[in-house]
Each structure stands twice: as C-alpha cells, then as structure tokens.
Amino acid sequence: MPPSSKADKKAAVDIAAWLFNVVTSVGIIIVNKALMSIYGFSFATTLTGLHFATTTLMAAVLRCLGYIQGSHLPLSELLKFVLFANFSIVGMNVSLMWNSVGFYQIAKLSMIPVSCLLEVVFDKIQYSRDTKLSILVVLLGVGVCTVTDVSVNSRGFVAAFIAVWSTSMQQYYVHYLQRKYSLTSFNLLGHTAPAQAVSLLLVGPFLDYWLTKKRIDAYAFNFPSTAFIVLSCIIAVGTNLSQFICIGRFTAVSFQVLGHMKTILVLVLGFLFFGKEGLNLQVVFGMIIAVVGMIWYGNASSKPGGKERRSHSMSRSSQQKLGAASEEADEKKSVKESRFMAFLKFLHSLLFFTVYL
C-alpha cells in the first residue's frame, strides 16, 4: 500500500475516533441533563459507577468473544490510575456544587495549561510560539462563551484545584499507560473499568447524599427514568472507549484543546432544543474565536517544531543515528496525518456552526 494511502486511511480512522467521541460525549450530556432535570435523578457519582459497571460488562463480553486479548497492567499503576480518575469525578462534582458556574468553567479551561505542563515535565515536549498562542485563543473563545459570574471561596478553590490536577493526571496517564505497556484502548479499559465501578458504587451513594441530601434508595424509580439511566449507561460505554482511543492516538493536550469543540456543540444544541435565551453577541463572538483557535492549533501543532520531544543526548553510534532518523521519519508521517485529520475535523465543526447560523 502506498504511503499516501496508508496516511489517508489512518487519518480517516482518526476522524472517526474524534466524531465517535464528540457524538457520545454530547449525547450523554443531553441524556443526563434530561435525567436530572426532568426525572430528578441527581445521583451523579453513583450514575458514573453504573457507567463503569456497564463498561466492565461490555469488556467481559468482548473478552469472551476474543476481541480483547490478554494483557498485563501492574497493580501499582492500576491503583494510581483509579485514584486519579476517581478524584477527578468526585472533584468535578464537588467543584460544581461549591463554586459559581463561571469559576467552574475557568477551572475546566485551566486543564489545558496543566496538561501542557505535564507533557513538558514528563515527556520533555516543546511547544512552538504559534502552538502556545493558539491554545490561548481557544481558552479565550471558550471563556467568552461560557464564563459569566465568577465568585471564589476557599473550599471551592480547593475542590477545583483537586479536580483540575486529578483530571489532567488521569488523561495523561491514559496515554502513558497505553504507550508504556503496549495496551490497546480496550485492554486499558478492561483493566480500569472494574476497579472504578466497584469503588464508585461503594462511595457514590454516600457522596451523593452528602452533596444533595437525598438517598438513592428513596428515589422513586419508574419506567421512563430507568430507561434514561439504561440509555445513559449504554452511551457511556462509547464515551469511555472513545476517550481512551482519542488520548491513546493523540495526546491529553490535543484531546483537551480539540475537545472544546464539544463545548461549542453543546451550546449550539442547547440553543436549538431549549430556546435561544442565552444566545447573544458575546456567545457568538466567543464561538467564532474558539473555532479559529482550534483551527490554528491543528495547523500550528502539525508543523515541524510545533510540538516535539526534546532530545536528551546526541547519537554516538550509527545504530543510534539510524534509530533517530527512523523516529524522525515516523514523526513527519504522523505530522502529515495529524494535519489532514485536524483539517477535516475542524471543517466538520465549522459546518455545524455555519448551519446553525
């Protein structure tokens, strides 16, 4: 197969992975919003535990059918991942309760610079000036769209700090573990989902009671609410899997930056389905800035030197030189594929935005 055909095929898979993540992420937000606002099911942590229980069941079925091969993940690495992931979930829920919506959104936006810092420190990644500026433009655009009132209190700040760092570490760890132990997305999800399901289902009801003063055993389940819970769990399988696929194929920073397209889509769909009360010139202006920043990021990070790993030492043998040359060729190939993927993905987001306007 010619190199161009292989690159196009990989780019098509990249696009499919991103679209899969966008559709499932936006879908689960809409379903959960209906579940909580219409049916009063406010037990977010327990619901997340059910999501991972469903994902565990899916992984077990796929393993029995032979689609997931046996793999190894050290217990210490598993425990660290589960710790980061659960602190992320709990931290986000507590941060939303203790902070204003504006400060909550600012905290979410700060995950991008934190993820950049993790890549710089642990992976020795260097970012070009254009890449850094494009990230700032994305942050500015999404901030203009979503940040309104901003009030800070000490306990809310602590909750947001824990949520931001644990989420960034969890996303970094997804990419790190897949790379270090040669795990596929299915393999990693098969290792982590059971531990997260057990821990969240044990802690979830107590945490939800602390946050909402409501007990899940006192909730009046009926057919519509149960149907929405089941639908939420089914979509969550796709959301969890697509997140692992995207971070594994790209990086946590790219996942965060391009993932803000979901924020724009949620805003657009919210205006379409729930009225245009919040739609104003500021929101539209913010959307345009964010999309421009995403396009700039896709272009800047794809260029040579836009985002690359620093070399620790010079080659001292011809074998090392050969290895470096091979690595550079692979990197250039990856850059071309990534650029093609980014262009098509942003074209898709612009199409959404244009149709809406």
Side-chain angles (χ1 to χ4, degrees), residues 87-99:
F87 265 103
S88 167
I89 294 165
V90 173
M92 281 297 179
N93 290 339
V94 175
S95 176
L96 183 58
M97 184 186 75
W98 284 350
N99 291 309

Side-chain angles (χ1 to χ4, degrees), residues 114-125 172 310 312:
V114 171
S115 296
C116 288
L117 178 63
L118 292 176
E119 287 192 356
V120 168
V121 172
F122 294 117
D123 290 341
K124 309 303 178 185
I125 297 293
Y172 172 82
R310 293 197 299 267
H312 293 286

Side-chain angles (χ1 to χ4, degrees), residues 285-317:
F285 183 60
M287 287 180 179
I288 294 172
I289 294 175
V291 172
V292 169
M294 291 175 197
I295 296 172
W296 189 9
Y297 175 82
N299 184 57
S301 62
S302 300
K303 289 179 179 178
K307 181 180 178 182
E308 61 186 8
R309 193 183 303 272
R310 293 197 299 267
S311 299
H312 293 286
S313 59
M314 297 296 291
S315 300
R316 296 185 178 183
S317 67

Side-chain angles (χ1 to χ4, degrees), residues 7-19 245 249-250 341:
D8 289 349
K9 184 178 179 181
K10 182 183 182 301
V13 175
D14 291 343
I15 295 168
W18 274 112
L19 292 180
I245 291 174
R249 295 182 73 87
F250 312 109
M341 176 277 300

Side-chain angles (χ1 to χ4, degrees), residues 23-34:
V23 170
T24 54
S25 298
V26 174
I28 200 170
I29 289 172
I30 293 174
V31 170
N32 287 351
K33 183 174 181 179

